[in-house]
C-alpha cells in the first residue's frame, strides 16, 4: 500500500529586524495621521470592517529592501510564481504601496484575496489571542489553515500567494480600545508602460 500526498504550495514565515520592527510599530501607533486607504471590505451596513492607513514613503523603502529578497526565496521553494503563464516573457517585480490594518475587538477582515503575485502580512501589535486563517480548495472540500497568534508573534512576517483566500476574525478583549496592528502589501509584475517610463 502507498499513501501519496499531492503537492501544494505554501508560505514563508520570518521575523523583522528589531530596528525595522520598532520603526514600523511607532508609525503604526500614530498612523491615524497617514492617508486613509479605502477598501471594498465592508460590513452588511456598508461601513468598512476596519480602517486602513498608508505606510510612509520612508518606511515603504525600508520594507521593500527587507522583503524583496524573499521573492527569490519563495520562487526557489514553491512552484506558484513560475506557474503563472500570462506574459510572453519575464517581467520585473514591483513593490506596491503597503498599508496598516488597525483592528479593535469587533473589527475583522472577511475572506478575501489581494492583487499582485505575492502578498505579505506583518504583525506589529497583537492581543492575547487572535487568528489569521487561510482558505483553499482541497481535492474534495474546502480546507482551512489557522495561524494562532499571541503577543509573542509580533514582528513576524508571512509571504504567500496573492490569490490565496485569507481572513482575520474579531479578537476577544475586555478593553474596547485595545488594538491589533498589522501591515499588508503586495508584490506585482511591472506593467509595460511603467517599465518604459522608468
Amino acid at each position: 500500500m502507498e499513501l501519496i500526498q499531492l503537492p501544494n504550495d505554501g508560505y514563508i514565515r520570518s521575523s523583522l529586524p528589531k530596528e525595522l520592527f520598532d520603526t514600523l510599530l511607532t508609525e503604526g501607533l500614530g498612523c491615524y495621521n497617514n492617508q486613509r486607504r479605502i477598501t471594498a471590505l465592508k460590513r452588511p451596513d456598508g461601513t468598512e470592517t476596519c480602517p486602513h492607513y498608508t505606510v510612509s514613503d520612508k518606511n515603504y523603502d525600508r520594507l521593500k529592501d527587507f522583503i524583496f529578497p524573499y521573492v527569490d526565496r519563495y520562487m526557489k521553494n514553491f512552484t506558484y510564481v513560475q506557474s503563472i503563464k500570462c506574459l510572453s516573457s519575464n517581467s520585473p517585480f514591483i513593490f506596491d504601496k503597503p498599508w496598516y490594518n488597525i483592528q479593535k475587538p469587533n473589527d475583522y477582515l472577511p475572506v478575501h484575496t489581494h492583487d499582485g503575485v505575492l502578498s505579505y502580512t506583518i504583525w506589529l501589535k497583537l492581543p492575547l489571542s487572535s487568528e489569521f486563517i487561510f482558505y483553499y480548495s482541497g481535492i474534495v472540500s474546502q480546507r482551512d489553515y489557522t495561524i494562532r497568534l499571541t503577543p509573542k508573534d509580533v514582528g513576524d512576517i508571512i509571504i504567500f500567494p496573492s490569490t490565496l483566500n485569507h481572513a482575520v476574525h474579531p479578537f476577544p478583549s475586555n478593553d474596547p480600545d485595545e488594538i491589533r496592528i498589522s501591515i499588508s502589501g503586495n508584490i506585482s509584475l511591472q506593467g509595460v508602460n511603467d517599465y518604459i517610463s522608468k
Side-chain angles (χ1 to χ4, degrees):
M1 178 181 85
E2 286 185 277
L3 299 175
I4 309 297
Q5 177 71 47
L6 296 179
N8 205 341
D9 287 308
Y11 69 96
I12 290 177
R13 184 167 180 167
S14 188
S15 297
L16 270 62
K18 185 177 186 314
E19 182 181 350
L20 178 58
F21 168 76
D22 290 343
T23 299
L24 294 172
L25 177 59
T26 298
E27 181 175 66
L29 290 168
C31 71
Y32 303 99
N33 297 319
N34 293 14
Q35 182 180 352
R36 185 81 182 260
R37 179 186 170 105
I38 305 302
T39 74
L41 304 179
K42 306 289 185 185
R43 300 176 190 270
D45 66 4
T47 60
E48 282 192 297
T49 60
C50 75
H52 309 273
Y53 301 91
T54 58
V55 170
S56 67
D57 290 342
K58 183 187 293 186
N59 283 332
Y60 165 88
D61 290 334
R62 290 173 175 157
L63 266 175
K64 180 174 68 172
D65 291 343
F66 173 74
I67 291 175
F68 252 136
Y70 284 96
V71 175
D72 285 337
R73 293 177 199 170
Y74 195 94
M75 291 173 63
K76 287 176 183 173
N77 289 281
F78 302 109
T79 61
Y80 160 69
V81 175
Q82 294 90 330
S83 72
I84 301 172
K85 304 290 184 187
C86 60
L87 300 173
S88 59
S89 61
N90 290 339
S91 177
F93 289 102
I94 60 166
F95 192 76
D96 294 340
K97 189 80 173 183
W99 63 92
Y100 291 97
N101 304 292
I102 308 294
Q103 290 175 260
K104 290 189 174 182
N106 290 323
D107 293 340
Y108 63 97
L109 294 169
V111 178
H112 65 286
T113 60
H114 285 207
D115 297 330
V117 177
L118 292 171
S119 296
Y120 58 89
T121 293
I122 302 167
W123 297 297
L124 298 176
K125 188 174 190 316
L126 291 168
L128 291 178
S129 175
S130 66
E131 296 177 340
F132 184 101
I133 306 166
F134 288 125
Y135 296 94
Y136 57 97
S137 296
I139 294 175
V140 295
S141 64
Q142 184 75 12
R143 306 291 301 273
D144 61 78
Y145 178 89
T146 300
I147 302 173
R148 300 187 193 289
L149 300 165
T150 71
K152 292 180 182 178
D153 297 297
V154 295
D156 280 7
I157 178 174
I158 55 172
I159 300 167
F160 54 92
S162 298
T163 56
L164 181 55
N165 282 291
H166 57 285
V168 179
H169 292 165
F171 62 86
S173 177
N174 294 324
D175 179 2
D177 294 321
E178 184 171 11
I179 58 172
R180 179 187 191 275
I181 305 176
S182 62
I183 290 178
S184 296
N186 304 316
I187 297 159
S188 300
L189 295 173
Q190 188 176 43
V192 173
N193 289 341
D194 290 341
Y195 181 77
I196 292 171
S197 68
K198 292 181 181 179

